[in-house]
Amino acid sequence: AEYMGGSNCVVTMRFPRPAFLARAFTTKPAEFVKIVEVGPRDGLQNEKSFVPTDTKVKLIDMLAATGLPVVEATSFVSKKWVPQMADAHEVMQKINRSNSTIFPVLTPNMVGYRAAIAAGARDVAVFASATESFALNNTGKGIAENQVLHREVLRNALQDGVRVRGYVSCVLGCPYEGAVAPEQVLRATEALLEMGCYEVSLGDTIGIGNPVSTERMLRTLTATVPPTQLAAHFHNTYGTALANLVIALQCGVRTVDSSVAGLGGCPYARGATGNVATEDVVFMLHGMGFTTSVNLDALVDCGKFITESLKVPNRSNAASAILRKREVQI
């Protein structure tokens, strides 16, 4: 970069070039990326008004019909702390499971796990944190105490033949502690994998990450953890989620969490907005030459349905463009 210094002299400044800018991005023909739709759980949990059960069920059924391989259906957590998920059992009883879509549910402890199994769940998830402060504020327990609960869930799930996914929150920043070292994320991730989780989703809970911090974190993890066991879960608070996702793809990650219409937030991370919109992710991936098994037009219909039902804006740029195009064609 050049600028005019004193006496009209030109000063040239050289900045180190991030490694990701030095690489050309290439994909294998028709390379598949698995989309994990988290809208019905992560997207709706922060809604202040209770969403009718039948609306949740219709949304889940519509999402599954788009070809999404995984739709996170609900959460078996305390009704006191997350009242939006109080109808978890009824939701699981009513959804259509006739297709090949998997419907995991969140189960933070054995109480939640037993309730989930009783409702017919065969895939569950546990959530950890990269920082002690977020763990305490999110669950009332520290990292070590939560790991005890996770081990109990994993032990029972493995005996029952139930698959368990892991989540790590605050991988790129914490609302209480600020910057998070990649080594903290690695410790939390390895602990979940050692317990028996088949995959760990890395959550930028407050959406503070950028391509450089994302690459730094993922390079640390993928030095010891296969990228096939990792998923990218980026909130779009500052508009960097898609850019960070490209870095995750360059690092070999092939599983992406996203939320239809960009719904969501986190009740324990003030100011955090929703996950990256599923419509935007699918549009970008298809344009880059990846396959996803998802019908984008049908997905846009899902976002239109739920945002109109909730009377909230649709945060997906791709969906907004497609809907405008439809109006012009009518």
Side-chain angles (χ1 to χ4, degrees), residues 11-24:
V11 179
T12 301
M13 302 181 69
R14 297 188 182 279
F15 299 96
R17 192 181 193 192
F20 70 85
L21 291 177
R23 295 191 302 272

Side-chain angles (χ1 to χ4, degrees), residues 8 60 63-64 96 131 139 180 195 203 239 244 257 272 279 285 309-310 315 324:
N8 293 326
I60 293 168
L63 288 166
N96 179 7
T131 68
T139 66
V180 176
M195 291 178 203
N244 297 340
D257 295 2
E279 300 95 318
L285 289 173
S309 297
L310 300 178
R315 294 195 183 107
R324 286 194 300 271

Side-chain angles (χ1 to χ4, degrees), residues 196-266:
C197 290
Y198 68 88
E199 178 179 273
V200 175
S201 174
L202 305 170
D204 182 12
T205 310
I206 58 175
I208 197 70
N210 59 63
V212 173
S213 62
T214 299
E215 182 180 43
R216 186 182 305 120
M217 182 267 295
L218 285 173
R219 289 300 170 195
T220 299
L221 266 66
T222 55
T224 56
V225 177
T228 52
Q229 290 186 290
L230 301 174
H233 184 117
F234 297 136
H235 284 239
N236 200 37
T237 309
Y238 296 95
T240 57
L242 285 177
N244 297 340
L245 176 55
V246 170
I247 300 305
L249 293 167
Q250 287 183 324
C251 290
V253 176
R254 291 295 181 269
T255 300
V256 177
D257 295 2
S258 56
S259 178
V260 65
L263 293 174
C266 177

Side-chain angles (χ1 to χ4, degrees), residues 51-202:
V51 180
T53 301
D54 287 344
T55 300
K56 295 173 181 172
V57 170
K58 183 175 180 179
L59 174 63
I60 293 168
D61 287 347
M62 288 179 69
L63 288 166
T66 69
L68 281 160
V70 184
V71 178
E72 191 177 61
T74 186
S75 179
F76 287 83
V77 293
S78 169
K79 299 175 184 179
K80 175 183 177 182
W81 298 113
V82 190
Q84 190 63 251
M85 299 290 110
D87 58 353
H89 184 94
E90 191 176 359
V91 167
M92 290 301 290
Q93 292 291 299
K94 287 187 171 183
I95 58 175
N96 179 7
R97 304 195 207 187
S98 61
N99 56 35
S100 59
T101 302
I102 296 169
F103 301 100
V105 298
L106 208 60
T107 57
N109 51 40
M110 280 304 299
V111 174
Y113 175 78
R114 291 192 185 100
I117 297 306
R122 299 305 299 167
D123 289 79
V124 302
V126 296
F127 55 90
S129 171
T131 68
E132 187 75 8
S133 297
F134 189 81
L136 288 167
N137 280 275
N138 192 21
T139 66
K141 297 177 176 61
I143 291 174
E145 291 178 279
N146 276 303
Q147 287 180 345
V148 172
L149 300 177
H150 298 158
R151 287 192 182 93
E152 188 177 11
V153 170
L154 264 296
R155 184 169 59 251
N156 281 270
L158 293 174
Q159 291 173 353
D160 295 339
V162 173
R163 299 196 331 149
V164 185
R165 190 183 203 229
Y167 284 91
V168 178
S169 300
C170 299
V171 301
L172 294 172
C174 173
Y176 309 104
E177 298 183 16
V180 176
E183 291 74 19
Q184 293 173 256
V185 183
L186 177 61
R187 285 194 295 272
T189 301
E190 288 183 327
L192 289 170
L193 291 173
E194 287 168 4
M195 291 178 203
C197 290
Y198 68 88
E199 178 179 273
V200 175
S201 174
L202 305 170

